[in-house]
Amino acid sequence: MHQLSDVRQRLAALGAQPSHAQRVLRLWSNALPQDSGKRALDDFLPRRLREALPGLTADLAALAVLDSRHDADDGSSRLLVKLADGQACESVLLPRGGLCVSSQIGCAVGCRFCMTGREGLIRQIGSAEIVAQVALGRALRPVRKVVFMGMGEPAHNLANVMDAIELLGTAGGIGHKSLVFSTVGDERVFERLPQGPVKPALALSLHTTREDLRAELLPRAPRIAPADLVEAGDRYARATGYPMQVQWTLLEGVNDSDEELAGIERLLRGRYAVLNMIPYNSVPDLPYRRPTWEKAAAIARHLHRRGVLTKLRNSAGQDVEGGCGQLRARAARPVRFQPRTAAG
Ligand SMILES: C[S@@+](CC[C@H](N)C(=O)[O-])C[C@H]1O[C@@H](n2cnc3c(N)ncnc32)[C@H](O)[C@@H]1O
Ligand code: SF4
């Protein structure tokens, strides 16, 4: 039952009308106890469904189970989540009501600096398993924002991710721009995202403005020129009314050169975009280093002065067991630079 379609089929087999099904899905995805909706359930659900509900709820709760939890000083909390077949993925509860979820076990893109990319793709995470990560997070803390920045490339599991996003943006009660689809960029994403009833915000993992370097760092990402990626992201951002987030994992001596800064200015100035600079979090046995905080701050200040709205993510709390520091980076509090001249 790891897809939402399985859950819906089971509800339909129990005689649930679409509105009943939506009600049950709302209780589940909001992690509301069954009795919090008791009156509504009693009033509206057919008896057969009411009787089956405890069993169904138990099955939904078993989709994603908390295996371990590691709290960090910055208020984030990394959750190791066990799925029903024994596979494990990560979710991170972020400060201020955010939750970072995984879309795949492993990832086929193989970015050179990413822990997840090292193991290749193991399996897709089902749409119900994605919503179950949110329900699990909500059982621990309120969640108002969901970012797809955990394990996996959402573009490679597009149907499941969009199914989950559409449920979270409706029954799940999460604002559309608080659902953040993070991707290395893929034509299918730019086609699919504008079509749905729930349009998530877009985070584009760019990392470099140089086509050759991007092919080296993100070996199995689609070969789309950085300028074309930014153009497509900008179009989507203007259509939705919320800015594109451009993700830049800052690697010392790799993508922090003057040439790159000039490239960023050329690509992003005047765009409806925010540049998120995230100093690299170390992964065991990889040769990369993060620049000093002073250097990263100087880069962000420079770009800001040149009209590129830049946020430097403070990556405190990257001391995570298992080397999954990249997830911690999402917990970071953005450091803003003055004057705040928004690009565009
Ligand atoms: C883990 S990916 C998942 C979403 C999607 N696959 C993507 O790349 O956008 C989320 C973000 O984490 C970043 N990231 C991966 N490894 C990192 C590391 N070692 N340090 C800092 N950020 C990292 C990626 O570059 C990406 O922007
Ligand atoms: S950064 Fe994203 S796309 Fe790249 S390997 Fe990691 S999860 Fe996959």
Side-chain angles (χ1 to χ4, degrees), residues 195-259:
Q195 286 172 14
V198 176
K199 295 176 186 50
L202 178 72
L204 178 64
S205 292
L206 194 65
H207 308 308
T208 173
T209 60
R210 285 175 43 201
E211 221 168 325
D212 58 335
L213 181 59
R214 200 162 189 271
E216 204 180 306
L217 289 175
L218 286 63
R220 286 177 292 283
R223 295 280 181 268
I224 305 175
D228 295 339
L229 284 175
V230 168
E231 179 64 40
D234 187 67
R235 220 178 300 126
Y236 178 72
R238 290 181 194 277
T240 53
Y242 22 92
M244 156 174 58
Q245 298 170 38
V246 177
Q247 305 288 107
W248 194 280
T249 297
L250 206 47
L251 306 162
E252 189 182 48
V254 177
N255 62 358
D256 59 352
S257 64
D258 291 346
E259 182 197 349

Short mmCIF file of all heavy atoms in Angstrom, two decimals, residues 195-259:
data_model
loop_
_atom_site.label_atom_id
_atom_site.label_comp_id
_atom_site.label_asym_id
_atom_site.label_seq_id
_atom_site.Cartn_x
_atom_site.Cartn_y
_atom_site.Cartn_z
N GLN A 195 1.27 22.27 -14.72
CA GLN A 195 -0.03 21.69 -15.10
C GLN A 195 -0.92 21.32 -13.93
O GLN A 195 -2.13 21.22 -14.07
CB GLN A 195 0.20 20.42 -15.92
CG GLN A 195 0.67 20.71 -17.33
CD GLN A 195 1.07 19.43 -18.05
OE1 GLN A 195 0.75 18.33 -17.59
NE2 GLN A 195 1.77 19.58 -19.15
N GLY A 196 -0.34 21.06 -12.78
CA GLY A 196 -1.12 20.50 -11.67
C GLY A 196 -1.96 21.55 -10.96
O GLY A 196 -1.71 22.75 -11.09
N PRO A 197 -2.93 21.08 -10.17
CA PRO A 197 -3.74 22.02 -9.39
C PRO A 197 -2.93 22.62 -8.24
O PRO A 197 -3.25 23.69 -7.74
CB PRO A 197 -4.87 21.13 -8.85
CG PRO A 197 -4.35 19.73 -8.90
CD PRO A 197 -3.36 19.68 -10.03
N VAL A 198 -1.88 21.92 -7.80
CA VAL A 198 -1.01 22.45 -6.74
C VAL A 198 0.35 22.69 -7.38
O VAL A 198 0.98 21.76 -7.88
CB VAL A 198 -0.89 21.44 -5.57
CG1 VAL A 198 0.10 21.96 -4.53
CG2 VAL A 198 -2.26 21.18 -4.95
N LYS A 199 0.76 23.95 -7.38
CA LYS A 199 2.05 24.28 -8.00
C LYS A 199 3.08 24.58 -6.92
O LYS A 199 3.01 25.61 -6.27
CB LYS A 199 1.88 25.47 -8.95
CG LYS A 199 0.98 25.13 -10.13
CD LYS A 199 0.73 26.30 -11.02
CE LYS A 199 -0.28 25.96 -12.11
NZ LYS A 199 -1.53 25.33 -11.65
N PRO A 200 4.02 23.66 -6.73
CA PRO A 200 5.01 23.87 -5.67
C PRO A 200 6.02 24.95 -6.06
O PRO A 200 6.15 25.29 -7.24
CB PRO A 200 5.70 22.51 -5.59
CG PRO A 200 5.56 21.93 -6.96
CD PRO A 200 4.25 22.42 -7.50
N ALA A 201 6.74 25.46 -5.08
CA ALA A 201 7.86 26.34 -5.37
C ALA A 201 8.99 25.48 -5.95
O ALA A 201 9.07 24.28 -5.69
CB ALA A 201 8.32 27.04 -4.10
N LEU A 202 9.84 26.12 -6.73
CA LEU A 202 10.93 25.40 -7.40
C LEU A 202 12.27 25.79 -6.78
O LEU A 202 12.57 26.98 -6.64
CB LEU A 202 10.93 25.75 -8.89
CG LEU A 202 12.04 25.12 -9.71
CD1 LEU A 202 11.79 23.62 -9.91
CD2 LEU A 202 12.15 25.79 -11.09
N ALA A 203 13.05 24.78 -6.42
CA ALA A 203 14.45 25.00 -6.04
C ALA A 203 15.29 24.31 -7.10
O ALA A 203 15.11 23.12 -7.36
CB ALA A 203 14.73 24.43 -4.66
N LEU A 204 16.17 25.08 -7.72
CA LEU A 204 16.99 24.54 -8.81
C LEU A 204 18.43 24.39 -8.31
O LEU A 204 19.07 25.39 -7.97
CB LEU A 204 16.92 25.52 -9.99
CG LEU A 204 17.73 25.18 -11.21
CD1 LEU A 204 17.23 23.89 -11.86
CD2 LEU A 204 17.66 26.33 -12.22
N SER A 205 18.91 23.15 -8.27
CA SER A 205 20.28 22.91 -7.79
C SER A 205 21.23 23.16 -8.96
O SER A 205 21.43 22.29 -9.80
CB SER A 205 20.40 21.48 -7.27
OG SER A 205 19.64 21.35 -6.09
N LEU A 206 21.80 24.35 -8.99
CA LEU A 206 22.61 24.77 -10.15
C LEU A 206 24.09 24.48 -9.92
O LEU A 206 24.75 23.86 -10.74
CB LEU A 206 22.37 26.26 -10.39
CG LEU A 206 22.86 26.80 -11.72
CD1 LEU A 206 22.09 26.20 -12.88
CD2 LEU A 206 22.74 28.34 -11.75
N HIS A 207 24.64 25.01 -8.84
CA HIS A 207 26.01 24.76 -8.35
C HIS A 207 27.13 25.34 -9.19
O HIS A 207 28.23 25.55 -8.68
CB HIS A 207 26.29 23.25 -8.17
CG HIS A 207 25.27 22.56 -7.35
ND1 HIS A 207 24.87 23.00 -6.11
CD2 HIS A 207 24.51 21.45 -7.58
CE1 HIS A 207 23.94 22.20 -5.62
NE2 HIS A 207 23.69 21.26 -6.50
N THR A 208 26.90 25.54 -10.47
CA THR A 208 27.92 26.18 -11.30
C THR A 208 27.23 26.77 -12.53
O THR A 208 26.16 26.29 -12.93
CB THR A 208 29.02 25.18 -11.74
OG1 THR A 208 29.90 25.83 -12.67
CG2 THR A 208 28.45 23.93 -12.39
N THR A 209 27.87 27.77 -13.10
CA THR A 209 27.33 28.35 -14.33
C THR A 209 28.05 27.77 -15.54
O THR A 209 27.75 28.11 -16.67
CB THR A 209 27.52 29.89 -14.34
OG1 THR A 209 28.91 30.17 -14.24
CG2 THR A 209 26.77 30.53 -13.18
N ARG A 210 29.06 26.92 -15.26
CA ARG A 210 29.86 26.34 -16.37
C ARG A 210 29.32 24.98 -16.76
O ARG A 210 29.25 24.06 -15.93
CB ARG A 210 31.31 26.19 -15.91
CG ARG A 210 32.09 27.49 -15.85
CD ARG A 210 33.45 27.25 -15.27
NE ARG A 210 34.09 26.04 -15.79
CZ ARG A 210 35.08 25.41 -15.17
NH1 ARG A 210 35.55 25.84 -14.03
NH2 ARG A 210 35.60 24.32 -15.71
N GLU A 211 28.99 24.83 -18.03
CA GLU A 211 28.39 23.59 -18.51
C GLU A 211 29.33 22.39 -18.30
O GLU A 211 28.89 21.31 -17.87
CB GLU A 211 28.09 23.75 -20.00
CG GLU A 211 26.77 23.17 -20.38
CD GLU A 211 26.34 23.57 -21.78
OE1 GLU A 211 26.63 24.72 -22.20
OE2 GLU A 211 25.70 22.74 -22.44
N ASP A 212 30.63 22.59 -18.58
CA ASP A 212 31.58 21.47 -18.46
C ASP A 212 31.72 21.04 -17.01
O ASP A 212 31.70 19.85 -16.69
CB ASP A 212 32.95 21.86 -19.05
CG ASP A 212 33.54 23.10 -18.39
OD1 ASP A 212 32.76 23.92 -17.83
OD2 ASP A 212 34.77 23.26 -18.39
N LEU A 213 31.80 22.00 -16.12
CA LEU A 213 31.96 21.67 -14.70
C LEU A 213 30.69 21.01 -14.16
O LEU A 213 30.74 20.07 -13.36
CB LEU A 213 32.29 22.94 -13.89
CG LEU A 213 32.49 22.74 -12.39
CD1 LEU A 213 33.64 21.76 -12.11
CD2 LEU A 213 32.74 24.06 -11.68
N ARG A 214 29.56 21.46 -14.65
CA ARG A 214 28.29 20.88 -14.17
C ARG A 214 28.21 19.40 -14.58
O ARG A 214 27.79 18.54 -13.81
CB ARG A 214 27.10 21.68 -14.72
CG ARG A 214 25.83 21.45 -13.89
CD ARG A 214 24.78 22.51 -14.12
NE ARG A 214 23.71 22.35 -13.16
CZ ARG A 214 22.63 21.58 -13.32
NH1 ARG A 214 22.47 20.93 -14.44
NH2 ARG A 214 21.72 21.48 -12.37
N ALA A 215 28.67 19.12 -15.80
CA ALA A 215 28.64 17.72 -16.27
C ALA A 215 29.57 16.86 -15.41
O ALA A 215 29.32 15.68 -15.20
CB ALA A 215 29.06 17.66 -17.73
N GLU A 216 30.63 17.48 -14.90
CA GLU A 216 31.57 16.74 -14.07
C GLU A 216 31.01 16.53 -12.66
O GLU A 216 31.07 15.44 -12.11
CB GLU A 216 32.85 17.59 -14.01
CG GLU A 216 34.11 16.85 -13.72
CD GLU A 216 35.25 17.86 -13.71
OE1 GLU A 216 35.42 18.62 -14.71
OE2 GLU A 216 35.96 17.93 -12.69
N LEU A 217 30.43 17.59 -12.10
CA LEU A 217 29.94 17.51 -10.71
C LEU A 217 28.62 16.74 -10.60
O LEU A 217 28.36 16.10 -9.59
CB LEU A 217 29.71 18.93 -10.15
CG LEU A 217 30.94 19.78 -9.86
CD1 LEU A 217 30.51 21.18 -9.42
CD2 LEU A 217 31.80 19.14 -8.76
N LEU A 218 27.77 16.86 -11.62
CA LEU A 218 26.45 16.21 -11.61
C LEU A 218 26.41 15.25 -12.80
O LEU A 218 25.77 15.51 -13.82
CB LEU A 218 25.33 17.26 -11.76
CG LEU A 218 24.96 18.19 -10.60
CD1 LEU A 218 26.08 19.11 -10.19
CD2 LEU A 218 23.72 19.00 -10.92
N PRO A 219 27.13 14.14 -12.73
CA PRO A 219 27.41 13.36 -13.95
C PRO A 219 26.19 12.85 -14.70
O PRO A 219 26.22 12.74 -15.91
CB PRO A 219 28.26 12.20 -13.44
CG PRO A 219 28.19 12.22 -11.96
CD PRO A 219 27.75 13.58 -11.53
N ARG A 220 25.11 12.54 -14.01
CA ARG A 220 23.95 11.99 -14.73
C ARG A 220 22.73 12.92 -14.65
O ARG A 220 21.60 12.46 -14.79
CB ARG A 220 23.64 10.58 -14.22
CG ARG A 220 24.69 9.56 -14.75
CD ARG A 220 24.48 8.17 -14.24
NE ARG A 220 24.73 8.05 -12.82
CZ ARG A 220 25.93 8.01 -12.24
NH1 ARG A 220 27.02 8.05 -12.98
NH2 ARG A 220 26.07 7.90 -10.94
N ALA A 221 22.99 14.21 -14.47
CA ALA A 221 21.90 15.19 -14.58
C ALA A 221 21.68 15.45 -16.07
O ALA A 221 22.62 15.33 -16.87
CB ALA A 221 22.28 16.49 -13.88
N PRO A 222 20.45 15.78 -16.49
CA PRO A 222 20.23 16.08 -17.91
C PRO A 222 21.17 17.18 -18.38
O PRO A 222 21.45 18.12 -17.63
CB PRO A 222 18.77 16.56 -17.94
CG PRO A 222 18.15 15.99 -16.72
CD PRO A 222 19.23 15.91 -15.69
N ARG A 223 21.65 17.03 -19.59
CA ARG A 223 22.58 18.04 -20.14
C ARG A 223 21.78 19.24 -20.66
O ARG A 223 21.49 19.33 -21.85
CB ARG A 223 23.40 17.44 -21.27
CG ARG A 223 24.32 16.33 -20.82
CD ARG A 223 25.60 16.91 -20.19
NE ARG A 223 26.49 15.83 -19.80
CZ ARG A 223 26.50 15.27 -18.57
NH1 ARG A 223 25.68 15.69 -17.63
NH2 ARG A 223 27.34 14.28 -18.29
N ILE A 224 21.42 20.10 -19.75
CA ILE A 224 20.72 21.33 -20.13
C ILE A 224 21.64 22.48 -19.72
O ILE A 224 22.15 22.48 -18.58
CB ILE A 224 19.35 21.46 -19.41
CG1 ILE A 224 18.49 20.21 -19.64
CG2 ILE A 224 18.60 22.72 -19.85
CD1 ILE A 224 17.17 20.20 -18.87
N ALA A 225 21.86 23.42 -20.59
CA ALA A 225 22.79 24.51 -20.28
C ALA A 225 22.27 25.29 -19.09
O ALA A 225 21.05 25.53 -18.98
CB ALA A 225 22.92 25.42 -21.50
N PRO A 226 23.16 25.71 -18.16
CA PRO A 226 22.72 26.47 -16.99
C PRO A 226 21.84 27.66 -17.36
O PRO A 226 20.83 27.91 -16.68
CB PRO A 226 24.05 26.92 -16.35
CG PRO A 226 25.00 25.80 -16.69
CD PRO A 226 24.60 25.35 -18.07
N ALA A 227 22.15 28.37 -18.44
CA ALA A 227 21.33 29.54 -18.82
C ALA A 227 19.91 29.10 -19.16
O ALA A 227 18.94 29.80 -18.82
CB ALA A 227 21.97 30.26 -20.01
N ASP A 228 19.78 27.94 -19.81
CA ASP A 228 18.43 27.45 -20.17
C ASP A 228 17.67 26.99 -18.93
O ASP A 228 16.45 27.17 -18.84
CB ASP A 228 18.54 26.31 -21.19
CG ASP A 228 19.11 26.79 -22.52
OD1 ASP A 228 19.05 28.02 -22.77
OD2 ASP A 228 19.66 25.98 -23.28
N LEU A 229 18.39 26.40 -17.99
CA LEU A 229 17.73 25.97 -16.74
C LEU A 229 17.17 27.20 -16.01
O LEU A 229 16.03 27.20 -15.55
CB LEU A 229 18.74 25.28 -15.82
CG LEU A 229 19.14 23.85 -16.15
CD1 LEU A 229 20.25 23.38 -15.22
CD2 LEU A 229 17.93 22.92 -16.06
N VAL A 230 18.01 28.23 -15.92
CA VAL A 230 17.58 29.44 -15.21
C VAL A 230 16.40 30.09 -15.94
O VAL A 230 15.43 30.53 -15.32
CB VAL A 230 18.77 30.42 -15.07
CG1 VAL A 230 18.30 31.80 -14.61
CG2 VAL A 230 19.80 29.86 -14.10
N GLU A 231 16.45 30.09 -17.24
CA GLU A 231 15.37 30.69 -18.04
C GLU A 231 14.05 29.94 -17.76
O GLU A 231 13.01 30.55 -17.50
CB GLU A 231 15.75 30.57 -19.52
CG GLU A 231 14.74 31.12 -20.51
CD GLU A 231 14.55 32.62 -20.37
OE1 GLU A 231 15.55 33.33 -20.17
OE2 GLU A 231 13.37 33.07 -20.45
N ALA A 232 14.12 28.61 -17.78
CA ALA A 232 12.90 27.81 -17.54
C ALA A 232 12.39 28.00 -16.12
O ALA A 232 11.18 28.11 -15.88
CB ALA A 232 13.19 26.33 -17.81
N GLY A 233 13.32 28.04 -15.16
CA GLY A 233 12.92 28.24 -13.76
C GLY A 233 12.30 29.60 -13.55
O GLY A 233 11.31 29.76 -12.82
N ASP A 234 12.87 30.60 -14.18
CA ASP A 234 12.37 31.98 -14.07
C ASP A 234 10.95 32.07 -14.63
O ASP A 234 10.07 32.70 -14.03
CB ASP A 234 13.32 32.90 -14.84
CG ASP A 234 13.00 34.37 -14.66
OD1 ASP A 234 13.15 34.87 -13.54
OD2 ASP A 234 12.57 35.00 -15.65
N ARG A 235 10.72 31.40 -15.75
CA ARG A 235 9.39 31.41 -16.37
C ARG A 235 8.36 30.80 -15.41
O ARG A 235 7.29 31.34 -15.21
CB ARG A 235 9.44 30.58 -17.67
CG ARG A 235 8.65 31.20 -18.81
CD ARG A 235 8.76 30.40 -20.10
NE ARG A 235 10.11 30.28 -20.60
CZ ARG A 235 10.72 29.13 -20.90
NH1 ARG A 235 10.12 27.98 -20.76
NH2 ARG A 235 11.96 29.11 -21.36
N TYR A 236 8.75 29.69 -14.80
CA TYR A 236 7.83 29.03 -13.86
C TYR A 236 7.60 29.93 -12.64
O TYR A 236 6.47 30.07 -12.16
CB TYR A 236 8.42 27.68 -13.43
CG TYR A 236 7.56 26.95 -12.43
CD1 TYR A 236 6.35 26.36 -12.81
CD2 TYR A 236 7.94 26.86 -11.09
CE1 TYR A 236 5.55 25.70 -11.88
CE2 TYR A 236 7.14 26.19 -10.16
CZ TYR A 236 5.95 25.62 -10.57
OH TYR A 236 5.15 24.97 -9.64
N ALA A 237 8.66 30.54 -12.14
CA ALA A 237 8.54 31.41 -10.96
C ALA A 237 7.58 32.56 -11.24
O ALA A 237 6.72 32.88 -10.42
CB ALA A 237 9.92 31.93 -10.56
N ARG A 238 7.72 33.18 -12.40
CA ARG A 238 6.85 34.32 -12.73
C ARG A 238 5.41 33.85 -12.89
O ARG A 238 4.46 34.55 -12.52
CB ARG A 238 7.35 35.05 -13.97
CG ARG A 238 8.64 35.80 -13.68
CD ARG A 238 9.19 36.57 -14.86
NE ARG A 238 10.57 36.97 -14.60
CZ ARG A 238 10.94 38.04 -13.91
NH1 ARG A 238 10.04 38.83 -13.38
NH2 ARG A 238 12.22 38.31 -13.71
N ALA A 239 5.23 32.63 -13.43
CA ALA A 239 3.87 32.12 -13.62
C ALA A 239 3.21 31.81 -12.28
O ALA A 239 2.00 32.00 -12.11
CB ALA A 239 3.90 30.86 -14.50
N THR A 240 4.00 31.34 -11.31
CA THR A 240 3.39 30.97 -10.02
C THR A 240 3.30 32.15 -9.07
O THR A 240 2.48 32.16 -8.16
CB THR A 240 4.24 29.88 -9.30
OG1 THR A 240 5.58 30.34 -9.21
CG2 THR A 240 4.19 28.56 -10.03
N GLY A 241 4.21 33.12 -9.25
CA GLY A 241 4.20 34.28 -8.34
C GLY A 241 5.09 34.07 -7.13
O GLY A 241 5.07 34.88 -6.21
N TYR A 242 5.87 33.00 -7.09
CA TYR A 242 6.87 32.90 -6.03
C TYR A 242 8.24 32.58 -6.62
O TYR A 242 8.35 31.83 -7.60
CB TYR A 242 6.50 31.92 -4.90
CG TYR A 242 5.51 30.85 -5.23
CD1 TYR A 242 5.92 29.61 -5.69
CD2 TYR A 242 4.15 31.07 -5.04
CE1 TYR A 242 5.01 28.61 -5.97
CE2 TYR A 242 3.22 30.08 -5.33
CZ TYR A 242 3.65 28.86 -5.79
OH TYR A 242 2.75 27.88 -6.07
N PRO A 243 9.27 33.17 -6.02
CA PRO A 243 10.59 33.12 -6.66
C PRO A 243 11.20 31.72 -6.72
O PRO A 243 10.92 30.88 -5.88
CB PRO A 243 11.46 34.03 -5.78
CG PRO A 243 10.73 34.14 -4.49
CD PRO A 243 9.29 33.91 -4.76
N MET A 244 12.04 31.54 -7.74
CA MET A 244 12.82 30.31 -7.83
C MET A 244 13.95 30.41 -6.79
O MET A 244 14.54 31.47 -6.59
CB MET A 244 13.41 30.24 -9.24
CG MET A 244 14.64 29.40 -9.38
SD MET A 244 15.19 29.21 -11.09
CE MET A 244 15.45 30.89 -11.65
N GLN A 245 14.23 29.29 -6.14
CA GLN A 245 15.38 29.24 -5.25
C GLN A 245 16.50 28.55 -6.01
O GLN A 245 16.30 27.44 -6.51
CB GLN A 245 15.04 28.43 -3.99
CG GLN A 245 13.91 29.05 -3.20
CD GLN A 245 13.43 28.12 -2.09
OE1 GLN A 245 14.21 27.44 -1.45
NE2 GLN A 245 12.13 28.11 -1.88
N VAL A 246 17.62 29.21 -6.13
CA VAL A 246 18.75 28.59 -6.83
C VAL A 246 19.71 28.07 -5.76
O VAL A 246 20.16 28.83 -4.89
CB VAL A 246 19.44 29.60 -7.77
CG1 VAL A 246 20.65 28.96 -8.43
CG2 VAL A 246 18.46 30.09 -8.82
N GLN A 247 19.97 26.77 -5.80
CA GLN A 247 20.80 26.14 -4.77
C GLN A 247 22.25 26.07 -5.26
O GLN A 247 22.50 25.67 -6.41
CB GLN A 247 20.30 24.71 -4.51
CG GLN A 247 18.84 24.59 -4.14
CD GLN A 247 18.55 25.09 -2.75
OE1 GLN A 247 17.96 26.15 -2.58
NE2 GLN A 247 18.97 24.35 -1.75
N TRP A 248 23.14 26.43 -4.38
CA TRP A 248 24.56 26.46 -4.75
C TRP A 248 25.37 25.87 -3.60
O TRP A 248 25.57 26.54 -2.58
CB TRP A 248 24.99 27.90 -5.00
CG TRP A 248 26.30 28.08 -5.70
CD1 TRP A 248 27.55 28.00 -5.14
CD2 TRP A 248 26.51 28.38 -7.08
NE1 TRP A 248 28.51 28.22 -6.09
CE2 TRP A 248 27.89 28.46 -7.30
CE3 TRP A 248 25.67 28.57 -8.17
CZ2 TRP A 248 28.45 28.74 -8.53
CZ3 TRP A 248 26.23 28.85 -9.40
CH2 TRP A 248 27.60 28.94 -9.58
N THR A 249 25.79 24.63 -3.73
CA THR A 249 26.65 24.02 -2.71
C THR A 249 28.07 24.54 -2.94
O THR A 249 28.67 24.27 -3.98
CB THR A 249 26.59 22.47 -2.82
OG1 THR A 249 25.25 22.06 -2.56
CG2 THR A 249 27.51 21.80 -1.81
N LEU A 250 28.54 25.30 -1.98
CA LEU A 250 29.79 26.03 -2.16
C LEU A 250 30.99 25.12 -1.85
O LEU A 250 31.15 24.63 -0.72
CB LEU A 250 29.77 27.23 -1.20
CG LEU A 250 30.56 28.48 -1.49
CD1 LEU A 250 30.40 28.97 -2.93
CD2 LEU A 250 30.13 29.57 -0.52
N LEU A 251 31.80 24.88 -2.88
CA LEU A 251 32.94 23.98 -2.77
C LEU A 251 34.22 24.80 -2.98
O LEU A 251 34.40 25.40 -4.05
CB LEU A 251 32.87 22.89 -3.84
CG LEU A 251 31.57 22.07 -3.92
CD1 LEU A 251 31.45 21.35 -5.28
CD2 LEU A 251 31.51 21.06 -2.79
N GLU A 252 35.07 24.80 -2.00
CA GLU A 252 36.26 25.64 -2.08
C GLU A 252 37.13 25.27 -3.28
O GLU A 252 37.42 24.07 -3.49
CB GLU A 252 37.09 25.51 -0.81
CG GLU A 252 38.22 26.54 -0.78
CD GLU A 252 39.08 26.39 0.45
OE1 GLU A 252 39.48 25.24 0.76
OE2 GLU A 252 39.36 27.41 1.09
N GLY A 253 37.51 26.29 -4.04
CA GLY A 253 38.41 26.06 -5.18
C GLY A 253 37.72 25.39 -6.36
O GLY A 253 38.37 25.09 -7.36
N VAL A 254 36.43 25.14 -6.26
CA VAL A 254 35.72 24.46 -7.35
C VAL A 254 34.70 25.39 -7.99
O VAL A 254 34.71 25.60 -9.22
CB VAL A 254 35.02 23.17 -6.84
CG1 VAL A 254 34.21 22.50 -7.96
CG2 VAL A 254 36.04 22.20 -6.26
N ASN A 255 33.81 25.96 -7.17
CA ASN A 255 32.76 26.83 -7.75
C ASN A 255 32.66 28.15 -7.00
O ASN A 255 31.57 28.70 -6.88
CB ASN A 255 31.41 26.09 -7.79
CG ASN A 255 30.92 25.72 -6.40
OD1 ASN A 255 31.60 25.97 -5.41
ND2 ASN A 255 29.73 25.17 -6.34
N ASP A 256 33.80 28.63 -6.50
CA ASP A 256 33.79 29.91 -5.77
C ASP A 256 34.73 30.93 -6.41
O ASP A 256 35.18 31.86 -5.77
CB ASP A 256 34.13 29.69 -4.29
CG ASP A 256 35.52 29.06 -4.09
OD1 ASP A 256 36.15 28.64 -5.09
OD2 ASP A 256 35.97 29.00 -2.94
N SER A 257 35.04 30.73 -7.70
CA SER A 257 36.00 31.62 -8.38
C SER A 257 35.34 32.92 -8.82
O SER A 257 34.11 33.02 -8.90
CB SER A 257 36.56 30.91 -9.61
OG SER A 257 35.50 30.68 -10.53
N ASP A 258 36.16 33.89 -9.18
CA ASP A 258 35.64 35.16 -9.71
C ASP A 258 34.85 34.92 -10.99
O ASP A 258 33.85 35.57 -11.26
CB ASP A 258 36.79 36.13 -10.00
CG ASP A 258 37.44 36.61 -8.71
OD1 ASP A 258 36.82 36.41 -7.63
OD2 ASP A 258 38.55 37.17 -8.77
N GLU A 259 35.33 33.96 -11.77
CA GLU A 259 34.64 33.63 -13.03
C GLU A 259 33.21 33.16 -12.74
O GLU A 259 32.25 33.56 -13.40
CB GLU A 259 35.42 32.52 -13.76
CG GLU A 259 34.84 32.13 -15.10
CD GLU A 259 35.37 30.77 -15.59
OE1 GLU A 259 36.33 30.24 -15.00
OE2 GLU A 259 34.79 30.25 -16.56
#
